[in-house]
Amino acid sequence: MNTPAPPRLIRLLPAVLANQIAAGEVVERPASVVKELVENSLDAGATRVEIQLEAGGRRLIQITDNGCGMVAGQAKLSLERHATSKIATEADLFAIRTLGFRGEALAAIASVSHLEMESRVAGEVDGVRLRLAGGTELREDRATLSPGTRITIRNLFFNTPARLKFLRTERTENGHVQDLVLRLALVRPEVGFKLTFNGSEILDLRAGEEPRHLEARLSALLGRDFVENCVQFDRQHQQARLTGWLGLPALHRNNASSMHLYVNGRWVRDKVVSHAIRESYRDLLPKESYPAAVLFLELPPGDLDVNVHPTKEEVRFNQRDFIHSIVRGTLGEALASVGARTVEVPLPFSLPVPGPVPVGELSPASVRLPEAVSKPVFWEKPAKFTGVRDGAAWNAPPDPGLLREWEKTTPPQPNPTNPPVFTAPAPAPAPIHLGEAVGQIHGTYILAQTPDGMILVDQHAAHERIVYEALKKAMSSRQLPRQMLLVPEVLSFSPSEARMVSAHLADMEPLGVVVEPFGGNDFAVRELPAMLADSPARALVLDLATEMAKYGASEALSARLEPLLATMACHGSVRANRRLTLPEMNALLRQIETTLHSGLCSHGRPTYIILSLRDLEKLFDRR
């Protein structure tokens, strides 16, 4: 028989313990401290904010601003729990126009650190300095400083070691702070921001609302390629206004980190708006890809509730369907206005054919459809098939002008001293006959005629499978051919992208992608796999780093090799909307015929479909 538990006494928590509990909600890491303090600076009217960190914020976080400052009595009161100048009545809670308002941040931060606050109001001779340890006031002095406020946090979580152990590396914590400052800086161009880590200047963003200032902040947050390949929009819907920038579909990412939403000047996460953004790009992006976008949504304060999350990073809309509708509609219109605009990148590629004489590399100038095919009145009958019908591959000779020794995608012989990654021998592909090319449709699909019907080939999906199988074969021999770039290509990334790339430089090298730091957020590409040497290096490096971040430790390279090679193959393949000559189309068809699993690309999409002559006759009722 269980003995009932004795009744427990209900008591009020001590103020320090209550503040530490609040700190657990508000202060997750150094970036949380920076967020709360910088938001207070912005609410105080600061036009210049300086942030300093040491040891990733464990040892020191200091925020200095030139805002309105506080007199001694107000400074002491600001450190009390639920003390705020932002709201006074219940009605104010539903008309929030400031970033801070809850009145918990300073008391919570002080309860888990050694805090020093210095503040001076313009016109006062001296300011005030307050020192606290673990939320307990130690000393009050007069201070000499410029008008504004300086708050210094030392030894964060010194009295809550359980929380301290959950902090990540200094580099990771610094990265979270840098991302936070860039997000805040983008929505407040009239404010200058300076960020310093361990005495080294990381950011110095000058105040200014001219286009060049906004471009500088957009570039710092999302990379220079976003600024050069985005469309700006500005729409008014009743009392709601939606403005911002949308990245072109070609700038898609593998995660949602490049989607930024600001509601009434506050950076937030919201599932409703995120879904609307992705729906706007639904037919424009590959599966499981995310767009790069920055949205500013302005609403009457009474139309949303910002008091739904301790860190104020979520909001609740009164009319969720309306918000989803205006975001989806506005972004859809903006993307439709882009038309055929695409990111301009060089896309030369090679299409080999089986047999002793391969097709050489195709220059961009040679990739054109003959006029008779690009503007057909009728389809001409193709040349007589030169292949045989007994299972051997079709061997139509390529155009002599395109012939060259095609060494890039010829895998070397296996090295007996190095065991292959893929140990099972690849089975021979089942014999298929894809006929002779007749023409190209919409710059994407190859139409071929066979003795028994017709075939439609997705040129990108098909070549992706070819490159993927070639990469697998090369990796199995441990001798993936590399090509050193004559002039290293320098790539610029956003801070978060740069950290991800930097963390996986060693992982990329076994795949033939040799990248070195080049200072700041820039990296130099030294070598690429020979068969991918003409691929856009930036997208390849970023997508590889993103894939590696998904799979974890570098020791698992063999286990995750196939999806990584699939990513590489996608970048090394002929793209849609590339015009091909008839010899180039036939070269691709011949290569498909001798490639394993050629019916599907490395992402599982079909590469070609077959319509028999009987199927065609049924379609036209000629049975």
Side-chain angles (χ1 to χ4, degrees):
M1 183 174 178
N2 294 329
T3 304
R8 296 188 177 185
L9 296 178
I10 297 174
R11 59 176 68 89
L12 290 174
L13 290 174
V16 172
L17 182 56
N19 286 336
Q20 289 181 349
I21 292 173
E25 297 178 340
V26 176
V27 186
E28 179 186 3
R29 57 185 352 133
S32 307
V33 175
V34 174
K35 175 182 182 295
E36 298 293 343
L37 297 183
V38 172
E39 286 182 348
N40 281 344
S41 296
L42 296 176
D43 286 341
T47 59
R48 178 73 176 173
V49 181
E50 297 186 3
I51 304 105
Q52 298 182 51
L53 264 72
E54 292 181 8
R58 289 176 172 84
R59 186 164 61 238
L60 173 72
I61 301 172
Q62 187 175 81
I63 312 295
T64 305
D65 67 57
N66 64 347
C68 62
M70 295 175 285
V71 296
Q74 288 285 288
K76 292 186 68 173
L77 188 58
S78 72
L79 293 165
E80 297 292 333
R81 195 177 181 200
H82 302 312
T84 178
S85 63
K86 319 293 175 62
I87 59 174
T89 67
E90 182 181 353
D92 294 337
L93 192 58
F94 297 97
I96 299 295
R97 298 182 181 274
T98 55
L99 295 174
F101 60 89
R102 297 170 67 96
E104 291 180 287
L106 277 175
I109 294 168
S111 70
V112 291
S113 67
H114 293 98
L115 182 146
E116 179 179 275
M117 174 189 289
E118 300 168 277
S119 191
R120 177 186 159 214
V121 175
E124 294 286 334
V125 176
D126 294 319
V128 62
R129 178 186 295 115
L130 299 171
R131 292 189 177 96
L132 296 87
T136 302
E137 183 176 339
L138 299 179
R139 187 172 177 178
E140 177 181 345
D141 298 304
R142 302 188 68 80
T144 302
L145 73 160
S146 300
T149 300
R150 177 167 57 232
I151 297 181
T152 304
I153 307 296
R154 291 186 171 87
N155 307 319
L156 184 64
F157 298 137
F158 79 98
N159 54 351
T160 54
R163 305 198 63 81
L164 188 63
K165 70 179 182 180
F166 282 100
L167 295 185
R168 304 303 182 188
T169 64
E170 178 177 338
R171 181 174 183 171
T172 298
E173 298 301 338
N174 283 345
H176 285 295
V177 171
Q178 186 173 352
D179 291 343
L180 166 73
V181 173
L182 287 172
R183 293 198 301 264
L184 289 169
L186 183 59
V187 76
R188 300 297 290 268
E190 76 281 6
V191 180
F193 290 85
K194 183 176 181 180
L195 177 62
T196 302
F197 292 153
N198 297 327
S200 298
E201 182 180 294
I202 304 301
L203 293 172
D204 190 2
L205 301 173
R206 304 296 177 88
E209 300 187 59
E210 299 175 16
R212 61 188 178 91
H213 293 107
L214 285 173
E215 287 182 7
R217 298 188 181 206
L218 269 177
S219 179
L221 179 63
L222 290 169
R224 284 197 294 269
D225 62 329
F226 179 84
V227 175
E228 296 166 358
N229 297 282
C230 67
V231 57
Q232 190 169 6
F233 61 93
D234 187 339
R235 299 287 188 276
Q236 185 79 36
H237 301 267
Q238 300 176 24
Q239 291 183 297
R241 185 185 180 192
L242 189 62
T243 62
W245 298 268
L246 299 178
L248 298 184
L251 290 177
H252 64 267
R253 306 289 197 256
N254 284 4
N255 56 56
S257 63
S258 293
M259 291 168 51
H260 297 277
L261 169 65
Y262 297 84
V263 178
N264 290 0
R266 183 191 307 277
W267 185 91
V268 298
R269 296 184 177 93
D270 184 77
K271 293 181 180 179
V272 172
V273 175
S274 295
H275 182 269
I277 296 172
R278 295 195 69 189
E279 280 291 295
S280 304
Y281 283 84
R282 183 178 58 179
D283 298 329
L284 305 174
L285 298 181
K287 187 179 180 181
E288 300 303 324
S289 294
Y290 296 80
V294 178
L295 276 68
F296 298 99
L297 178 60
E298 296 294 329
L299 295 169
D303 286 353
L304 72 158
D305 185 359
V306 298
N307 190 29
V308 296
H309 193 273
T311 62
K312 305 180 292 291
E313 290 187 355
E314 295 179 9
V315 295
R316 181 182 293 120
F317 297 109
N318 289 350
Q319 301 180 59
R320 297 176 58 188
D321 292 344
F322 171 70
I323 297 300
H324 188 281
S325 176
I326 64 173
V327 173
R328 175 69 179 86
T330 299
L331 271 56
E333 292 174 8
L335 291 171
S337 70
V338 176
R341 181 181 168 197
T342 57
V343 179
E344 296 296 331
V345 291
L347 289 173
F349 58 92
S350 300
L351 295 177
V353 295
V357 186
V359 171
E361 183 178 86
L362 306 176
S363 67
S366 71
V367 185
R368 296 286 186 275
L369 269 181
E371 184 175 352
V373 178
S374 61
K375 296 181 180 180
V377 177
F378 59 88
W379 294 104
E380 295 183 356
K381 185 177 180 179
K384 183 180 179 181
F385 293 119
T386 56
V388 293
R389 299 287 308 283
D390 60 358
W394 300 92
N395 288 311
D399 183 8
L402 296 175
L403 298 181
R404 189 170 69 92
E405 188 64 28
W406 194 69
E407 299 175 346
K408 283 187 177 181
T409 57
T410 303
Q413 296 300 315
N415 184 345
T417 62
N418 293 321
V421 177
F422 297 91
T423 57
I432 55 172
H433 312 293
L434 298 185
E436 297 291 327
V438 176
Q440 190 182 30
I441 302 173
H442 296 296
T444 301
Y445 304 100
I446 297 171
L447 176 64
Q449 179 177 320
T450 68
D452 301 318
M454 60 172 282
I455 292 176
L456 275 176
V457 178
D458 182 328
Q459 64 192 41
H460 171 68
H463 197 227
E464 181 178 302
R465 171 58 69 176
I466 293 169
V467 176
Y468 176 63
E469 293 297 332
L471 285 168
K472 284 174 61 178
K473 189 174 181 181
M475 287 297 294
S476 72
S477 67
R478 300 270 184 159
Q479 292 184 7
L480 179 68
R482 298 182 183 181
Q483 178 170 314
M484 183 176 292
L485 303 188
L486 185 62
V487 178
E489 184 173 351
V490 178
L491 310 177
S492 296
F493 297 101
S494 68
S496 60
E497 291 170 345
R499 290 193 299 273
M500 184 167 57
V501 170
S502 180
H504 295 287
L505 295 180
D507 290 342
M508 285 188 253
E509 189 167 351
L511 299 175
V513 181
V514 179
V515 184
E516 298 175 359
F518 200 71
N521 297 323
D522 294 347
F523 294 80
V525 180
R526 304 287 183 183
E527 296 179 37
L528 289 173
M531 65 184 74
L532 305 181
D534 295 316
S535 302
R538 187 187 190 282
L540 173 62
V541 170
L542 185 58
D543 281 357
L544 274 180
T546 303
E547 285 292 317
M548 290 172 172
K550 287 182 181 178
Y551 287 94
S554 59
E555 291 78 17
L557 177 61
S558 296
R560 57 186 169 146
L561 189 57
E562 291 190 358
L564 292 175
L565 293 182
T567 298
M568 295 170 66
C570 185
H571 286 281
S573 305
V574 54
R575 300 294 185 184
N577 299 315
R578 283 293 302 274
R579 298 293 182 180
L580 307 178
T581 65
L582 284 173
E584 291 164 356
M585 297 180 212
N586 282 314
L588 181 59
L589 297 178
R590 303 291 80 78
Q591 188 75 1
I592 298 170
E593 291 170 348
T594 59
T595 298
L596 186 66
H597 305 309
S598 61
L600 295 172
C601 77
S602 54
H603 295 95
R605 294 188 298 110
T607 60
Y608 59 84
I609 60 173
I610 300 173
L611 278 174
S612 69
L613 191 57
R614 177 170 294 185
D615 293 330
L616 289 171
E617 290 172 345
K618 289 180 180 179
L619 288 172
F620 290 95
D621 223 8
R622 296 175 63 90
R623 292 167 291 182

